[in-house]
Structure formats: C-alpha cells, structure tokens
Amino acid sequence: MFKITIDNILIEVEEGTTILQAARMIGGKVVPPAMCYYTGLKGSGGKCRSCLVKVAKGSAKDPRPMPKLVASCSTPVQDGMVVENTTSAEVQEARKGVVEFLLINHPLDCPVCDQAGECDLQDLSYGFGMEETNTREPRREYPVVDIGPLIKLHMNRCIHCYRCVLAAEQLTKKRAHGMLYRGDTMEISTFIQTAIDNDFSGNMIDVCPVGALTDKTFRFKSRVWFLNPMNAHRECSKCSGKVTAWMFGNEIYRITGRKDQFGEVEEFICNECRFEKKDINDWVIDGPRKIKRQSVISSNHYEELKKGSIIHPIEGTTEPQE
Amino acid sequence: MEKGSKVNHHLFVRENKAVSFSDETLAKIRSLIRRYPEGRQKSALLPVLHIAQEELGGYLSVDTMDYVASLLGINPMEVYEVATFYSMFYLEKMGKYVLEVCHTGPCAICGGEEVLKHIKDYLHIETGETTPDGMFTLKEVECLGACGNGPVMQVNTEFYEHMTEKQVEKVIEELRQKQGEEGTSKGWAEQFS
Amino acid sequence: MGRAILLDKVNIPGIRAFEVYRAHGGYKPVDKGLREMTAAQVQQEVIKSGLRGRGGAGFPTGLKWSFLDRKSDKPRYLVCNADESEPGTFKDRYLMEKLPHLLIEGLILSSYALGVKTCYIYIRGEFKYLVGILETAIREAKKNNYLGERILGTDFSLEIYVHPGAGAYICGEETALLESLEGKRGNPRIKPPFPAYKGVYDCPTVVNNVETLATVAPIISMGGETYAGIGTGKSTGTKLISACGNINKPGVYEIEMGLPTEDFIYSEEYCGGMKNDRMLKAVIPGGSSVPILPADLILNTAKGQPRLITYESLSEGEFESGSMLGSGGFIVFDEDACIVRNTWNLTRFYRHESCGQCSPCREGTGWMEKILYRIEHGQGRMSDIDLLVRIAKNIEGNTICPLGDAAAWPVASAIRHFRGEFEAHINVPCTMYNGQMKEERAL
C-alpha cells in the first residue's frame, strides 16, 4: 500500500492507483474534475487537462517536486507522494486556462441544449470559468453530420475527449465513427454517410461529457431537471437491464445508464433498453434514484456553490485541510 | 487552413468501384508487411497508403481506403482516421501535378509568399484549386525541411529549390511540356528494397 | 574550429556508395565495435563522450540508453527519428542524403550496444527520395555482411527498415512517432510509461535523432574521452547547424561546440555575413520553437559575455534573455523582417501541426493564430498583446507533449523582445511587409 497526501489529507491506496482515483476515494472537494477520463473506458484520460494537479513531492524516495503540473487521471501514485489540487493557486490558474480553452470555440448554446443541467462542461465553467469572454474571434462551426435516427451529433459542442470513440471501439465490433482530421479542425464523424447502428451505440450518449451526442428520441422533450430519475430494471438478453428511467408523472421521457457521483455509468446498457422501451409497462420501477452529483438536476442549490467547488458529492463532503 | 471559422469538411461517397494493385505491387506490399512483427501489419499502413495514392488515381478514394483496409485486415475507419490526419494524403482528385509551396517562416522571409502569389496569378487559381485542364493543383504547405534552399516547392514529392517568380514559371512550363511523359522520379513502391 | 567529425567525408565524390565509403575508412568503427568491444563497452564510450540528443531536447544519450528496460523478455527496438520537420532545421536531411552509410554505421553500433535486433528509421514522408537512398545503403551494407544474420561472423544480427511518415510535424515527438510507426494517428502518448519500458508494440524502445545516432560511429572510432575533449563544458563534440534566412551562405555547417555566434554569422567559413549587407535584427537559434533573440542578445549574453553555440551559453539568461540550442536550426532575420508577421507565420505552423488531442494546444494555437493574424492586418487591439502573453502562459507546460511549449515560446519571446513592434501594428496594417498581398480570409 502507498501513502499519498492530497490537499493535506492522507490516504492509503494500492500500488497502481492514479492520483485521480485516490482523490475520488477521499471524495469531496479535493476531487479534480475530469472531462475525458472515464473509468470504464480503457485508454481514456490525459487529454482535456482539466484534472491537472501539482505534485509537490514525488515520493518518499525521491522528494523532488514534478516540474510540470500532471494529469491526475493518468499519473500513478508513488509512496509518500504529496499532491496539491485545491490548495495550489497554480493548479487553479491552469484549470481556469483549460476551461477558457474549452469554451472559446464552444457555442454556449445551453438554453437550447438537451445536456444542460447535467453537463460536465457547464459545471466546470461554473466552477472555474470567467465571467467575461476574452475572445472576439468567431467560433468554430462544423458542418452538420447526420449519424442516424437515434443519436444527434452536434459537433460544435464537442470537446474532443475521445470517450465516444473509445466506447464504440470497446463496446462494439466494428466502430463506424472516429476522430478525423487533426488540430482545431479535428472532428468526430463517420467520414461516409452512414447511420451508427449497433446494439450498444447509445452508450456514446452517456459517456459524452457535453451536449455533442444526445438522445434523438428525447430531443427537446424536456429539461432534465423537470424529470424524476427512477431506478428501473427489466429482463434483457443483451445487457443487465438496469437503467435510470427519467419520468414525468407516469411517462418515461428517456432511459439512460445509471450514473454514479462522478457521472460514469455503472453498467453500459443496450439500445433496445435505451431507445425502444419507453412504456412504463416495460419496466419494473425500483424507486427514486438519488443523484449524487452536484448539479441542477440534483440539488437546485446553485446558490450554495462556491467558485472552484463544483463536481463533488453532496453527502460526506470532505473539506481540504488548511 | 480554414477560411474564417467554418470547418470545410464534408462526407465522402463510397462508389463501390473495384480497385486493385498490380501483382507486382501486391508482392511489394506483402514484403513491406513482413517488416513488422506478426499481428502488427497495421504498421504498414502509411507506406501502403503512399503507394495506393500514387498508383490508384492520385488520391485516396473511399474505395481505395476500404481496399487498403482489407489488405491489412483492419477496420476501414482506422484508415480514414489516419488518412485525414496526415497532410500528404489527398482525399479529393488532384491535378496531374500538385504544386506544394512552402510558406513557413524561413521560406517566407526569403520570398515564399511572393512565389505563392505569383503562381496564383500565373495559373489563375487559388490555393486548393486545380487548373481547368486538370494539370496543376496548388497547395500551401508548411515546412518541407529544406529551409536553406528556400523558397521551396514540391511537385509530386520532388523538390524544387531556390524558387523565384521567373523560376516558378519555368518549372510550370517544363511540366506542361512533359505532358504525356512519365515523371523521372522513382515511385513509392520502387523506393523500398 | 572547422573540425569535421561527421561531415569529414562529405565532399568525396561518390561517397554515397558503399565501396567508396569503405575505401575511405567507412565501417571501421563497426569493425572495431563488433569485433573488439562488448555491447557494454560501446555504451560506456557513448556515456563517456557526453553526447547529448541532437534532436532538440539535449538529453544525454548514454543516460537515455541506460533507462532501457533490459529485464523484459520482449524484443527491444531502436527507432531512428528522421522526421525532421522543425522549421529552420534541415541538417538530418543533408546528412542522410550525403552520408547514408554514416547513419547505418551509427545504427549498427547503437543496436549492438542496446541489444536490438530490429531497427526502424522513421523518416518524414516528404523526404521520399531519401527512402530510396537509405534503402540502397541498407541493401549494400547487408550484401557486405554489415547487416542481416550474424554480422561479421559474430552472434549479432540486425535488420534496419525505413518507414516513411506522411506529413505531420508532431511525429517528431517520440511517442507520436511510435504511434505513427504502428500505423496510427500521430497522437503523442501520455507518459509514463516511457518508451524505454513501453515503446513501439509495447516493447522497450530507444528513440534517437539521426545526428545523435550517426555521431556514435566517430565516438567509437576515436573513443568517448577524446570526443568529450572536443567542445566545451557539457556541450561536447561537434554539432550540425543548419543556417537559413537573410544570410549570404545558407547551408549545413559542422561546428565545434563553443563557436561564438558572431563568428558563425559573419565569418566566411560559415554564414558569410548578412545578405546585401543588411543589419542583423534577430535570430532564432535552435529551430522555430525556441525563443527568438534580438541582435544584441544573440551576439552577447545579458552579462556581456560573447554568446557561444553550446547548450549552456544559448540558454544563459533563461527565457528572460536567453534561448536554446534546440535542433540547431539557425534562422537569421535582417532589419527588413517583420517580427509580427513572422510570429504569426510560425503560429500558423503550430496551429496546422497540432495533433488536436489536448485542449490547451488544440484551442490555444488556433486562438493565438487568429489574434496574430488580426494584429498583422491592422485589426488588433492593444489588449490583444497581453492576451497573447496570457494564452502562451496557459499553454506552456500544460499539454501532453512539448508542441504546446514550442508554440508558446515563439509568441512569448517575440513579445518580450519586440513589444514595440507589436504595438506599432495595432490599428495599422503591416507596413514592413512589402509584398502587397491580401489573404482572403474572414477575420
């Protein structure tokens, strides 16, 4: 077991754990935000740079600090490592910079975006974004690509996290979309006109941290915060059948995977459960799902949030030690 | 580079036309694949795409890329991802000669931008366009690694150095004369032993 | 000065051919290394030589080799980085074109030292003609039993293959290069793990620059200590400098480390002075990524000492008043050059070459390019200058690979040393650039 200190909180973790995972074990405000890392997707992480932290002490053996901020999601812990997240002004500044970069080409169309209310970028901006924009350059606009009747691709909102590509690669046999071109014209696309169609493609929606991939069968139906998330299950031959049903009265508006406090699904679900079973008689409703993420859908408590304190569970919040 | 903020990508069409390499080229490709460990045949993708572009129409059509994917036993999407990443691969039909003019720093301070402008005026085309006779396509490229001999232009991967406005006219006229003749430089497949 | 270790044979007619190269003492270092020395001894000589990576980072080569995971039972690989794409740098192209066998010698010796059986030369695709030159050299070496099975009757076997890239500056970054070698997009990998443990095909791998590997041959020939005696301080040996820009004699020069920059620019032996006797305005001394220095700071350090071409001297004064040796791409600007236009130009390059994987580089390079384009075309605001400094700072150090730094440094340094010129461009389209060209692009 390795001892590691994050924002002055000591925790023992197993060798091979990343800094981010260790921070998640502590929970609360010390958890760095993650826009591209996704525990269930092999090879994810390291790209968005929003989880950068400072390693003030490399390890007990080699106490030198690391020269640059590191991506906590992909840096394994060392015994005796000391990490600063919320306690480092440098980290907070860098994170502000990253949020600014993610936003300069984002359309900021939250009012018409189905992801609003459960959007990681919205949360991140609220936590670390600036109140005014510094850019007066026109925002990047991609041509619209239709990827079929189930999923809406809205490329202008994409933050190029690669999660959907990894999900398609790892959950399906023959991935029909990918990351094309490069640099700031890099694009998620199918390259040729085709519908993305296989039993697990809908998980692209769940793993997308922003509104770039949304459920077409739920498009413009309701704001997420007007719906009641309910745990539901059914017998399914393709997946576990354990889902969250988003309901208004007795009507099911949409089905998603069950997401944990870090926005990651517990189990990937199949397209049949997600898109075809919208009748309440299709499901056994287990009861209300407690949404542990702090976001409008769970708390309606934006006024309680302080700057820099976004994305942490409501219960058992651990404060960084001063 | 994109004009303004609009990204000008578009979707491509699979025509389902039969494409294939000659037996000789196929043998060469098989020997290229053997250069990499077993199960790592995807490694041959870049050299094979170079050969495909050169021998199968001067650009990479969807059909060509699907064919390459089948040769290497990989998902066509992996080929599209790679082909769109590297700037030497063309996704559209090009002119017989592709004039690639370097306009990066060292070439620019030696007159690269003037040469570029002169080609536009001389051929009456803009960057990315092809002359109506299908002879020349003009491309602006970044550093070609020949900065000491700038301004530099590559025509179908052959270097033309110390370009001036006059020089460039001369090169273009010589290429026009060559019409019908094969180029003198060795093709991609011949580069490999 | 003027000591040639790498390029000593460069003017011999027909030197590209094995027979000619051999007749002039070529492959003797290989004979010596393979017949008289153990692998460990070869590595020891490289450590003693003090050789530092010639690709740009200047990391000690012997030390890098010592990191290679020798406990793994997987095959090891040596990958030669010939993806020379840094604007202003064209030394490797010259070396491979003129002396392909020198590189092959270095590769054999290095592979022997590292226990490598397969070596790839990753060369940028634009150097298509060099693929043929190198493949021919490999074929010749193989015919003469310097490659292939049981080289020179020893137990050592080696195959070298040339692998072309296809137009991507980022593939010069070693992990992007390995991705590209595996037939993927050139996205740099997240480190750790480092290539010494998990390189190409997840096997232990060493990636070295062309010039670095070529230098191993003369090091074995003369001995590491003798090599270390050349040059000065921690900058041992000679370095290929590729000079370009507004000078009389652009080209590739081999210099002994420690040559004053003033001699390099003005002496007949090297650059031959400024073209048309213009005044020297600025120099980018190590390839486009390193900070630009104004004339006074390239000739002398801030402390008034002559600036020398060494790793230490060029970086003296850090980023306040220094720069870096980098890859040795020496770009000289005369008084007519517009720093703003040049900075915009280079930023456009980095925007074009960013792989797009991580947010600060993907978005930041594009943002800086758009702002600099506006400033150059008279649409800038005074506040844009500080904004650029801030963007550069937010990119620097926060990206997956050094391309972010490479894009940020030219902007930050140009503003640091030539702020007045940026200010003069605000609201006034560039007056220094004399080509009356209008880029047709929406601001």
Side-chain angles (χ1 to χ4, degrees):
Chain A
M1 295 293 275
F2 280 177
K3 284 196 176 86
I4 167 174
T5 311
I6 304 175
D7 284 344
N8 302 321
I9 301 167
L10 185 73
I11 185 170
E12 263 191 69
V13 297
E14 273 179 47
E15 200 179 329
T17 311
T18 62
I19 298 173
L20 181 74
Q21 284 163 341
R24 284 185 176 183
M25 288 173 200
I26 298 171
K29 290 181 180 176
V30 303
V31 183
M35 302 293 289
C36 67
Y37 173 79
Y38 206 85
T39 312
L41 298 174
K42 206 170 159 265
S44 66
K47 296 178 171 61
C48 72
R49 316 308 281 176
S50 56
C51 73
L52 289 174
V53 293
K54 185 175 174 64
V55 176
K57 183 180 169 189
S59 67
K61 263 191 228 158
D62 182 358
R64 286 177 302 171
M66 290 192 184
K68 290 176 180 178
L69 302 183
V70 301
S72 57
C73 66
S74 45
T75 307
V77 299
Q78 303 292 332
D79 197 22
M81 188 183 254
V82 176
V83 176
E84 293 173 3
N85 175 23
T86 60
T87 50
S88 161
E90 188 188 349
V91 169
Q92 302 300 304
E93 276 306 304
R95 199 165 291 156
K96 270 188 205 165
V98 170
V99 176
E100 187 174 26
F101 286 134
L102 289 174
L103 290 177
I104 55 166
N105 278 308
H106 190 82
L108 301 175
D109 56 347
C110 309
V112 293
C113 177
D114 279 331
Q115 189 85 0
E118 54 178 15
C119 173
D120 289 350
L121 186 59
Q122 221 176 19
D123 290 348
L124 192 71
S125 314
Y126 193 82
F128 300 96
M130 299 185 190
E131 272 133 31
E132 277 177 34
T133 180
N134 278 304
T135 178
R136 58 193 193 101
E137 321 309 326
R139 283 158 202 271
R140 181 171 58 222
E141 282 175 55
Y142 287 93
V144 176
V145 173
D146 182 2
I147 59 169
L150 301 175
I151 305 168
K152 172 72 186 167
L153 169 61
H154 204 305
M155 195 53 216
N156 292 350
R157 295 174 185 155
C158 177
I159 60 158
H160 306 86
C161 71
Y162 272 80
R163 280 183 188 174
C164 65
V165 179
L166 294 170
E169 181 74 28
Q170 290 165 29
L171 301 178
T172 69
K173 284 202 185 77
K174 199 172 177 187
R175 165 164 77 86
H177 83 290
M179 194 62 92
L180 303 175
Y181 307 95
R182 73 180 187 209
D184 63 351
T185 64
M186 195 161 82
E187 180 183 16
I188 295 286
S189 173
T190 48
F191 194 68
I192 46 175
Q193 186 67 62
T194 184
I196 294 179
D197 184 21
N198 63 68
D199 285 345
F200 285 87
S201 63
N203 291 296
M204 287 163 62
I205 300 166
D206 279 353
V207 299
C208 182
V210 294
L213 291 163
T214 49
D215 186 338
K216 257 192 186 170
T217 66
F218 174 63
R219 200 152 190 245
F220 302 142
K221 290 268 165 67
S222 170
R223 309 288 355 191
V224 289
W225 56 86
F226 293 138
L227 301 176
N228 294 321
M230 307 292 271
N231 277 345
H233 73 271
R234 65 181 275 270
E235 285 292 317
C236 178
S237 58
K238 292 174 189 148
C239 69
S240 70
K242 291 178 185 164
V243 303
T244 301
W246 296 76
M247 302 179 65
F248 191 81
N250 274 340
E251 261 185 87
I252 295 178
Y253 273 64
R254 70 164 177 169
I255 303 286
T256 67
R258 293 184 184 174
K259 292 186 181 179
D260 67 11
Q261 55 180 311
F262 304 113
E264 295 177 356
V265 293
E266 289 165 1
E267 279 166 295
F268 292 111
I269 59 168
C270 71
N271 280 10
E272 189 185 331
C273 287
R274 184 188 303 273
F275 298 118
E276 289 168 31
K277 305 291 173 188
K278 296 286 178 77
D279 192 314
I280 190 156
N281 296 317
D282 293 329
W283 298 96
V284 179
I285 305 292
D286 304 322
R289 176 161 184 85
K290 184 112 184 143
I291 301 290
K292 288 185 181 164
R293 304 173 70 203
Q294 191 139 7
S295 186
V296 267
I297 47 169
S298 63
S299 66
N300 253 339
H301 288 161
Y302 256 50
E303 71 276 11
E304 279 185 14
L305 296 177
K306 289 178 196 146
K307 282 269 166 187
S309 67
I310 214 79
I311 313 184
H312 62 81
I314 302 162
E315 292 162 61
T317 295
T318 313
E319 294 291 327
Q321 316 281 302
E322 297 303 328
Chain B
M1 193 191 309
E2 312 305 329
K3 292 196 172 177
S5 57
K6 294 245 195 305
V7 178
N8 56 4
H9 300 158
H10 62 88
L11 292 176
F12 290 81
V13 179
R14 180 178 279 148
E15 291 179 35
N16 290 315
K17 279 190 194 152
V19 285
S20 64
F21 288 123
S22 67
D23 289 347
E24 200 185 337
T25 305
L26 276 174
K28 179 74 85 173
I29 287 171
R30 274 193 290 272
S31 89
L32 279 179
I33 292 172
R34 281 196 298 273
R35 293 172 164 214
Y36 308 97
E38 219 169 311
R40 299 292 187 170
Q41 72 279 8
K42 190 183 173 184
S43 280
L45 183 53
L46 293 188
V48 172
L49 283 178
H50 277 306
I51 296 172
Q53 174 160 297
E54 203 171 67
E55 298 189 5
L56 302 174
Y59 75 108
L60 297 173
S61 67
V62 176
D63 296 300
T64 300
M65 288 191 273
D66 291 351
Y67 174 57
V68 169
S70 72
L71 285 179
L72 298 178
I74 56 178
N75 182 348
M77 182 45 71
E78 297 178 63
V79 183
Y80 310 151
E81 283 182 321
V82 164
T84 53
F85 186 90
Y86 295 94
S87 62
M88 285 180 77
F89 296 131
Y90 310 140
L91 304 169
E92 314 269 3
K93 182 124 190 70
M94 303 302 261
K96 185 169 181 219
Y97 298 105
V98 184
L99 311 177
E100 298 185 308
V101 185
C102 173
H103 64 154
T104 313
C107 276
I109 58 173
C110 299
E113 293 175 311
E114 284 83 354
V115 167
L116 189 60
K117 168 145 194 315
H118 189 69
I119 298 176
K120 289 180 188 173
D121 293 345
Y122 191 70
L123 293 174
H124 306 290
I125 51 172
E126 285 301 314
T127 301
E129 292 177 353
T130 303
T131 51
D133 59 0
M135 281 290 282
F136 300 103
T137 302
L138 179 63
K139 269 190 87 188
E140 290 171 33
V141 295
E142 301 291 354
C143 189
L144 291 169
C147 321
N149 307 332
V152 185
M153 172 168 81
Q154 260 197 339
V155 182
N156 300 3
T157 65
E158 213 167 316
F159 277 95
Y160 289 83
E161 298 172 340
H162 301 293
M163 285 294 107
T164 58
E165 297 182 359
K166 276 211 177 109
Q167 271 293 321
V168 112
E169 282 182 22
K170 205 172 137 223
V171 170
I172 288 173
E173 289 313 319
E174 278 171 7
L175 289 171
R176 263 197 230 279
Q177 298 303 315
K178 254 175 42 174
Q179 193 171 14
E181 288 172 43
E182 285 306 308
T184 48
S185 63
K186 282 199 286 182
W188 271 107
E190 293 164 85
Q191 301 287 340
F192 300 102
S193 298
Chain C
M1 294 296 161
R3 183 162 184 175
I5 292 173
L6 288 169
L7 302 182
D8 56 339
K9 301 188 187 70
V10 82
N11 291 322
I12 300 168
I15 194 67
R16 221 190 262 166
F18 179 87
E19 301 307 330
V20 181
Y21 189 74
R22 181 84 177 113
H24 287 85
Y27 284 91
K28 278 200 177 138
V30 179
D31 296 340
K32 182 181 171 188
L34 265 54
R35 289 203 170 113
E36 299 166 23
M37 297 165 76
T38 64
Q41 282 169 333
V42 172
Q43 178 166 351
Q44 203 51 44
E45 291 306 313
V46 174
I47 292 172
K48 275 193 232 161
S49 73
L51 175 66
R52 292 168 69 174
R54 303 298 198 222
F59 194 82
T61 306
L63 191 58
K64 190 171 188 176
W65 287 9
S66 71
F67 294 151
L68 184 71
D69 180 10
R70 287 163 195 270
K71 287 182 195 136
S72 164
D73 50 8
K74 290 179 178 171
R76 298 171 201 157
Y77 291 94
L78 173 66
V79 180
C80 172
N81 185 345
D83 191 56
E84 183 173 61
S85 322
E86 174 90 6
T89 312
F90 46 98
K91 63 186 178 70
D92 296 339
R93 174 189 186 225
Y94 182 82
L95 193 147
M96 290 185 286
E97 182 179 335
K98 302 285 181 188
L99 299 165
H101 282 290
L102 177 64
L103 176 60
I104 309 291
E105 277 189 284
L107 293 175
I108 298 170
L109 286 164
S110 306
S111 300
Y112 177 63
L114 295 164
V116 162
K117 289 196 178 74
T118 312
C119 170
Y120 296 103
I121 303 174
Y122 184 99
I123 188 162
R124 68 178 294 186
E126 288 88 342
F127 293 168
K128 173 183 166 189
Y129 74 106
L130 286 179
V131 174
I133 290 176
L134 289 167
E135 289 266 338
T136 306
I138 291 167
R139 205 168 50 232
E140 289 175 336
K142 204 165 175 175
K143 213 172 117 196
N144 289 281
N145 195 220
Y146 279 99
L147 284 175
E149 294 294 317
R150 300 182 60 84
I151 295 169
L152 302 178
T154 65
D155 287 339
F156 175 59
S157 305
L158 176 68
E159 293 291 342
I160 302 178
Y161 302 114
V162 183
H163 181 102
Y169 168 75
I170 188 62
C171 292
E173 195 277 339
E174 61 177 11
T175 58
L177 184 150
L178 297 177
E179 285 284 297
S180 184
L181 180 56
E182 292 182 7
K184 301 175 190 162
R185 293 160 63 84
N187 286 347
R189 295 178 182 169
I190 291 135
K191 286 154 281 190
F194 289 92
Y197 280 82
K198 268 189 161 193
V200 69
Y201 313 128
D202 282 344
C203 296
T205 305
V206 168
V207 184
N208 281 137
N209 167 265
V210 170
E211 187 189 345
T212 313
L213 290 166
T215 307
V216 173
I219 286 174
I220 295 308
S221 168
M222 69 172 69
E225 271 169 37
T226 313
Y227 185 86
I230 306 164
T232 163
K234 284 188 177 165
S235 303
T236 61
T238 62
K239 172 88 187 84
L240 298 184
I241 304 287
S242 56
C244 63
N246 307 128
I247 46 174
N248 279 323
K249 288 166 47 191
V252 177
Y253 300 100
E254 182 171 7
I255 59 129
E256 188 172 333
M257 291 275 201
L259 180 77
T261 50
E262 189 165 359
D263 291 1
F264 185 68
I265 298 168
Y266 291 105
S267 80
E268 274 309 306
E269 196 181 349
Y270 303 112
C271 301
M274 300 297 293
K275 203 170 184 179
N276 303 327
D277 285 325
R278 313 297 285 181
M279 293 267 287
L280 173 67
K281 180 175 185 177
V283 170
I284 301 177
S288 64
S289 310
V290 308
I292 190 170
L293 288 179
D296 53 336
L297 283 174
I298 189 68
L299 299 176
N300 294 296
T301 65
K303 287 179 188 156
Q305 303 291 320
R307 183 84 73 179
L308 312 177
I309 303 187
T310 62
Y311 292 100
E312 298 91 337
S313 178
L314 277 170
S315 55
E316 194 185 316
E318 309 253 310
F319 284 176
E320 274 311 301
S321 62
S323 182
M324 286 161 82
L325 175 58
S327 57
F330 204 85
I331 313 170
V332 182
F333 299 89
D334 70 19
E335 56 192 300
D336 291 343
C338 173
I339 298 297
V340 178
R341 189 171 185 85
N342 180 66
T343 309
W344 163 62
N345 187 305
L346 292 181
T347 307
R348 187 196 61 214
F349 171 82
Y350 290 108
R351 177 188 187 183
H352 184 258
E353 300 300 339
S354 167
C355 81
Q357 206 186 181
C358 67
S359 332
C361 178
R362 177 185 65 244
E363 306 295 348
T365 51
W367 194 7
M368 292 198 300
E369 193 269 339
K370 287 178 186 171
I371 296 171
L372 281 160
Y373 178 85
R374 272 199 290 108
I375 295 177
E376 167 68 8
H377 293 80
Q379 306 277 326
R381 292 176 180 179
M382 217 42 114
S383 59
D384 284 334
I385 301 173
D386 283 333
L387 179 60
L388 281 170
V389 174
R390 196 170 63 81
I391 299 171
K393 186 176 152 279
N394 282 340
I395 299 174
E396 193 189 333
N398 292 337
T399 52
I400 295 175
C401 82
L403 193 140
D405 301 346
W409 291 339
V411 175
S413 62
I415 296 176
R416 189 182 307 124
H417 298 300
F418 297 95
R419 195 176 183 105
E421 206 165 311
F422 283 84
E423 287 172 357
H425 275 72
I426 300 301
N427 292 327
V428 187
C430 188
T431 50
M432 303 186 72
Y433 178 65
N434 48 17
Q436 296 299 312
M437 206 177 307
K438 272 192 206 138
E439 281 87 353
E440 283 171 22
R441 192 177 98 168
L443 289 167

